[in-house]
Amino acid sequence: MENYILLKAALLTEGIRSDIESLTAVGINYKEQNHGLFGWDFENHVDLKLPDDFCLPDGTVVQFRLNSKSQYYVKTHDDKLKLYLNEHEICEIKWIERPDFYNKKTTQNNDMVKIGQIGGRDCLFFCYQNYCSHFSSNKQCSFCNLVTTSKVYDSVIKKKDMTDIGEVAKAAWSEGNVNHILLTGGCFSHEQEVALVSEILESIKKHTGFERVPGVILPSPAKGDDIERYFETGINAIGYSMEIWDEKLYKAICPGKSESTSHAEFVKSIQTAVKIFGEGNVFVALVMGLEPKETFLQGIQTLSAMGANIVPFVWSPNPGSKLEGHRAPSAEWYFDVISEAAEIVYDNKVPSGIENHCYQCDGNSLLHDALRLKGIV
Ligand code: SF4
């Protein structure tokens, strides 16, 4: 049987391309990319609708990262989508169905798809701030292309109305496929951010009837009393975008962010957050592939021993980031390291947190898939 984790790692690090026939129903029957925050393709594609993600035969969700030079490509054969490596057929794949609410408008006549988008199969994503202050001082994280993506595609409403967000949540949940929410933004004033998130959660609760909302708030690093305030908004879980575990590399790769939140502050805040939100309900986002295996796994060990879950995004160079044109480590490296990471998380008995974020929520991390093989779904 095919090693789907290794295949996913290859697809994320080599990119993928498709023939035109296979793309004809993308944006009609199948979910297209909408660039709510970052762009993950190897190249921009303003005039071409591409799938957001797709499923392998075992249900593994893979983000579609366009690379028109990739040896992996999709072609329609006998009315099925087939994935090839050069001339070798690997397996059938399936684009993910387009949600009905992508065709609907809010009562204020705004396109719902420009307000919230579905990540993977079941995660409703709202970005409440497409801005990051680190770009103006040229201290953005070197893997990040937030500003370029926003300029190139200009495809989502940047300042979102609270009622619109609630209406989109209601419409999305009523379709029966959404299980989780993910709220995030760039970096801005903490006071303003907690207040804004609180308003957003009020609107979502009012429109969906939830007392506590299943999902994750991923704000600018929450510290001190703010952590409790985020808990009081009614979201079930909180995230920390720590990005890089090794302290010196973190400073080098994330110069702006590390000035405002140190490695030690992250660790302390995550410990506090685990006490408030509960074990398994704190998610730490790391960028995997920019630091050595040794320090990455140290991070996995320390964080999972604290009771936090980790979402390590597979890094590959994207356009507009400082690392555009670089190369990611090999798929084999990703597979080996994520297999060890899964062992560590499993041994530390971190509650899975799948009520708030699961393997179907996004297609750019391998850890959920590796844990799934260990029976954690
Ligand atoms: S903090 Fe870093 S990763 Fe986050 S939006 Fe700013 S530059 Fe991008």
Side-chain angles (χ1 to χ4, degrees):
M1 166 161 157
E2 191 72 41
N3 179 340
Y4 289 119
I5 297 180
L6 182 62
L7 176 60
K8 178 172 172 176
L11 291 163
L12 293 178
T13 50
E14 301 289 328
I16 186 170
R17 59 197 166 89
S18 169
D19 67 351
I20 291 296
E21 187 189 352
S22 304
L23 298 176
T24 45
V26 172
I28 303 166
N29 299 328
Y30 301 111
K31 182 164 70 88
E32 76 281 13
Q33 297 184 8
N34 278 289
H35 303 99
L37 190 56
F38 305 120
W40 297 84
D41 300 285
F42 285 59
E43 55 203 87
N44 291 324
H45 55 92
V46 181
D47 298 321
L48 180 64
K49 278 198 176 168
L50 291 177
D52 207 9
D53 28 35
F54 56 95
C55 290
L56 300 178
D58 70 339
T60 297
V61 178
V62 185
Q63 189 173 49
F64 189 102
R65 296 181 177 177
L66 174 68
N67 176 3
S68 52
K69 295 189 186 122
S70 178
Q71 295 175 329
Y72 289 93
Y73 71 99
V74 177
K75 181 162 91 166
T76 300
H77 186 68
D78 289 341
D79 287 332
K80 290 182 174 150
L81 296 173
K82 296 285 177 72
L83 175 66
Y84 291 82
L85 172 60
N86 297 319
E87 299 309 312
H88 167 66
E89 182 184 319
I90 304 175
C91 61
E92 184 181 351
I93 62 151
K94 291 200 163 96
W95 304 144
I96 293 175
E97 294 202 354
R98 192 173 197 259
D100 289 342
F101 81 86
Y102 273 27
N103 288 326
K104 294 181 182 165
K105 286 183 183 281
T106 64
T107 47
Q108 297 186 75
N109 211 29
N110 288 319
D111 292 323
M112 288 193 173
V113 65
K114 294 188 174 177
I115 294 160
Q117 302 85 36
I118 299 295
R121 297 174 72 96
D122 74 344
C123 186
L124 177 59
F125 174 75
F126 292 111
C127 175
Y128 50 82
Q129 168 92 329
N130 294 65
Y131 168 78
C132 173
S133 55
H134 302 317
F135 279 83
S136 55
S137 53
N138 197 27
K139 288 182 176 175
Q140 70 268 35
C141 306
S142 48
F143 52 82
C144 180
N145 68 354
L146 179 139
V147 168
T148 325
T149 304
S150 172
K151 278 189 193 145
V152 167
Y153 295 101
D154 196 21
S155 54
V156 293
I157 296 173
K158 304 217 166 67
K159 199 154 174 50
K160 295 166 181 96
D161 177 87
M162 295 301 130
T163 308
D164 277 358
I165 290 179
E167 288 180 13
V168 171
K170 183 178 179 183
W173 240 285
S174 67
E175 290 179 23
N177 296 323
V178 172
N179 294 314
H180 309 122
I181 220 157
L182 177 61
L183 296 171
T184 195
C187 290
F188 65 124
S189 143
H190 285 245
E191 282 297 315
Q192 283 176 340
E193 189 168 11
V194 180
L196 179 64
V197 168
S198 183
E199 275 186 67
I200 292 171
L201 264 298
E202 279 313 310
S203 179
I204 292 173
K205 286 188 284 189
K206 184 175 143 202
H207 284 86
T208 58
F210 283 120
E211 274 182 38
R212 290 200 71 86
V213 178
V216 184
I217 169 72
L218 187 64
S220 314
K223 303 170 193 170
D225 294 344
D226 282 350
I227 302 172
E228 182 74 43
R229 293 172 70 198
Y230 278 117
F231 184 75
E232 284 165 6
T233 64
I235 188 84
N236 269 349
I238 192 165
Y240 284 84
S241 293
M242 199 171 178
E243 323 290 14
I244 304 290
W245 180 258
D246 179 81
E247 200 168 346
K248 286 192 180 133
L249 274 175
Y250 169 54
K251 283 185 185 160
I253 293 171
C254 308
K257 181 180 256 194
S258 59
E259 277 176 7
S260 52
T261 308
S262 69
H263 175 94
E265 279 180 298
F266 262 118
V267 173
K268 187 170 164 226
S269 302
I270 291 164
Q271 271 167 334
T272 308
V274 171
K275 281 191 196 126
I276 293 172
F277 281 83
E279 290 199 359
N281 292 332
V282 178
F283 291 82
V284 181
L286 294 176
V287 179
M288 184 180 179
L290 287 174
E291 68 180 309
K293 167 184 171 174
E294 187 186 359
T295 58
F296 176 78
L297 291 178
Q298 281 165 4
I300 299 284
Q301 170 58 37
T302 306
L303 292 166
S304 54
M306 285 161 51
N309 271 304
I310 302 108
V311 182
F313 295 117
V314 172
W315 174 73
S316 61
N318 42 22
S321 71
K322 291 198 174 197
L323 293 174
E324 177 174 356
H326 287 233
R327 283 177 185 243
S330 67
E332 287 76 15
W333 181 90
Y334 276 102
F335 176 75
D336 291 345
V337 179
I338 213 63
S339 301
E340 284 193 46
E343 285 295 332
I344 293 169
V345 173
Y346 188 77
D347 289 347
N348 277 303
K349 301 188 173 49
V350 186
S352 68
I354 54 167
E355 311 79 24
N356 297 311
H357 195 78
C358 72
Y359 80 94
Q360 300 201 74
C361 284
D362 52 54
N364 51 14
S365 155
L366 303 167
L367 187 54
H368 271 120
D369 302 299
L371 286 168
R372 202 153 55 100
L373 290 185
K374 293 178 160 300
I376 298 173
V377 262

